[in-house]
Amino acid sequence: MRRRSSPDRSRGTLLAVIREHIQTGEPVASRTVSRHTKPGLSPASIRNIMMELEEEGYLEQPHTSAGRVPTGKAYRYYVSQINADEPPSRSDEQLILSHLGGADQLPPEEVLGRTCRVLSLVSGNLGIVVCLPLSSVALEHIHFVNMGERRILVVLVSPGSQVHKRLIQVAFEIAPSELEAASNYLNGHYHGWGLSQIREDLEARLAEERSTYDGLLSALKQLNDRGMLEENSPAEIFLEGASNLIGRPELADPAQLRKLIRALEEKETLVRLLTQCMSAGNDSLQVVIGLPGSPALLKDFALIGSAMGWPEGLCLRMAILGPARMHYDRVIRAFGYIEKLLHENVN
């Protein structure tokens, strides 16, 4: 029976293979790895460790090459070792500040365009920014505040503790007890639903029970009619860096590259992709390796993204998209810094 390598040796070998492959894009041979490990590990020892890592699903051998490349499982492990709170390099920090320094003095649309551009520049991949209307987000919690003179402040919390506020004017006064009952009803029945879905279902319920309006239903009807769940604007999409994909080994087939770019230029595809990949969990920064949907080429891609609230009740999703062979350490730290700047200067 073959003796298994120590965890430290396996980890060191795996990280060496990943870093080498990210740098070169070529399958990595044991002799190459042996040059980057501590003395005492021969190419034969490294080869045995690489075989074990292949059995565990971390490496694979393309075609008849003597070298191996990381799998999605390997990249996910690599990402888990990165501290996203570490600052970016000095050069990346200066690049980011040259685009986003003083963002609080710029029009929101200018900030979004600059954010997309700098995401592309620091990653060498696609930068994507999607500004979604409020109705595109999911309901975590909703609360109503009576501001007087028939004005109601709608406070909506979406996943990730993003807070959206909207002031509406109702036709008749609504008692505080009825506002509380309305929020309890919505939170109890529609937690996790998209706001447009809630509006559709609520309108159907109100239509069915219109002959038996009580205080709760009357309050809900007023709030709904006055747009408590209405979207504020259509989705606005920014995309930068498509030229960065040209010449990548992963996209050597021109037909595949054209198909990918056409798909990503469709608004619905981008919104669906970001929604699918960033809807789960409350972590600010999310990394997804192996993307769903069409084209099938996306299964070999990775997305680094986050969602945050935006002025006027909008929800911002920003992301870096590219082949799974990505400089995750640099990109994740730069992304975290960009996100921090936007939180400080815009919200």
Side-chain angles (χ1 to χ4, degrees):
M1 180 181 292
R2 188 175 67 195
R3 184 177 178 183
R4 305 294 291 183
S5 303
S6 71
D8 286 346
R9 286 187 173 186
S10 293
R11 177 181 179 276
T13 301
L14 177 59
L15 292 177
V17 171
I18 294 171
R19 289 172 181 141
E20 181 69 18
H21 182 66
I22 287 175
Q23 192 65 34
T24 67
E26 298 294 329
V28 181
S30 56
R31 190 171 297 278
T32 302
V33 177
S34 69
R35 294 198 296 265
H36 299 287
T37 58
K38 63 181 181 180
L41 285 182
S42 66
S45 297
I46 295 292
R47 188 158 50 249
N48 287 335
I49 296 172
M50 291 173 69
M51 289 174 60
E52 293 171 5
L53 290 168
E54 185 175 3
E55 291 170 1
E56 294 168 6
Y58 289 101
L59 300 177
E60 60 186 1
Q61 193 171 22
H63 311 300
T64 57
S65 167
R68 289 171 174 80
V69 298
T71 63
K73 182 178 179 179
Y75 284 127
R76 282 186 280 274
Y77 173 76
Y78 182 54
V79 167
S80 72
Q81 306 301 300
I82 297 172
N83 182 358
D85 294 327
E86 286 188 10
S89 67
R90 183 60 182 163
S91 59
D92 280 347
E93 182 180 351
Q94 290 174 341
L95 174 64
I96 294 165
L97 287 173
S98 72
H99 285 76
L100 295 177
D104 56 329
Q105 304 298 317
L106 298 172
E109 185 168 323
E110 176 72 12
V111 175
L112 298 179
R114 290 186 178 209
T115 299
C116 188
R117 194 171 307 119
V118 79
L119 287 171
S120 173
L121 289 172
V122 298
S123 68
N125 286 294
L126 284 170
I128 305 171
V129 173
V130 176
C131 197
L132 294 168
L134 181 59
S135 64
S136 300
V137 304
L139 173 67
E140 183 75 24
H141 181 81
I142 193 168
H143 179 63
F144 303 109
V145 181
N146 192 330
M147 305 297 291
E149 300 179 350
R150 302 194 309 277
R151 295 175 304 154
I152 306 296
L153 180 66
V154 182
V155 182
L156 185 139
V157 181
S158 58
S161 299
Q162 299 162 36
V163 179
H164 313 270
K165 298 178 181 179
R166 179 182 177 86
L167 190 65
I168 61 176
Q169 185 89 38
V170 294
F172 306 100
E173 289 288 350
I174 302 176
S177 60
E178 292 172 344
L179 286 175
E180 183 178 1
S183 64
N184 290 340
Y185 180 89
L186 293 170
N187 292 326
H189 284 78
Y190 298 115
H191 177 83
W193 286 43
L195 300 194
S196 56
Q197 294 175 295
I198 298 173
R199 189 172 62 245
E200 182 179 342
D201 187 78
L202 185 59
E203 287 172 353
R205 290 186 182 221
L206 290 170
E208 290 173 2
E209 303 178 40
R210 60 183 178 272
S211 61
T212 59
Y213 281 152
D214 58 14
L216 168 61
L217 290 174
S218 178
L220 284 170
K221 185 177 189 310
Q222 271 214 82
L223 293 167
N224 191 58
D225 289 347
R226 296 295 172 164
M228 67 173 176
L229 302 176
E230 290 291 338
E231 62 183 66
N232 300 58
S233 62
E236 191 170 8
I237 295 177
F238 299 80
L239 180 67
E240 289 267 357
S243 61
N244 290 333
L245 301 179
I246 298 172
R248 296 288 183 86
E250 300 89 342
L251 296 166
D253 183 348
Q256 288 277 33
L257 177 59
R258 286 194 297 270
K259 185 176 181 181
L260 174 67
I261 291 176
R262 279 198 301 269
L264 294 176
E265 286 175 344
E266 295 177 3
K267 178 188 294 187
E268 295 78 9
T269 300
L270 282 178
V271 172
R272 172 189 54 77
L273 184 63
L274 267 64
T275 300
Q276 280 184 292
C277 293
M278 298 164 59
S279 59
N282 292 329
D283 290 339
S284 177
L285 178 67
Q286 298 184 49
V287 181
V288 181
I289 298 168
L291 306 181
S294 178
L297 190 63
L298 287 173
K299 70 180 177 59
D300 297 319
F301 269 54
L303 180 144
I304 299 170
S306 71
M308 60 183 287
W310 197 249
E312 300 181 8
L314 300 176
C315 177
L316 186 69
R317 287 194 173 104
M318 57 182 187
I320 289 166
L321 176 68
R325 185 178 67 87
M326 190 183 297
H327 289 277
Y328 291 100
D329 190 32
R330 177 191 179 190
V331 171
I332 287 174
R333 289 187 289 131
F335 195 104
Y337 186 68
I338 292 169
E339 186 181 39
K340 179 183 176 183
L341 279 180
L342 290 179
H343 274 294
E344 290 176 349
N345 295 325
V346 178
N347 285 309

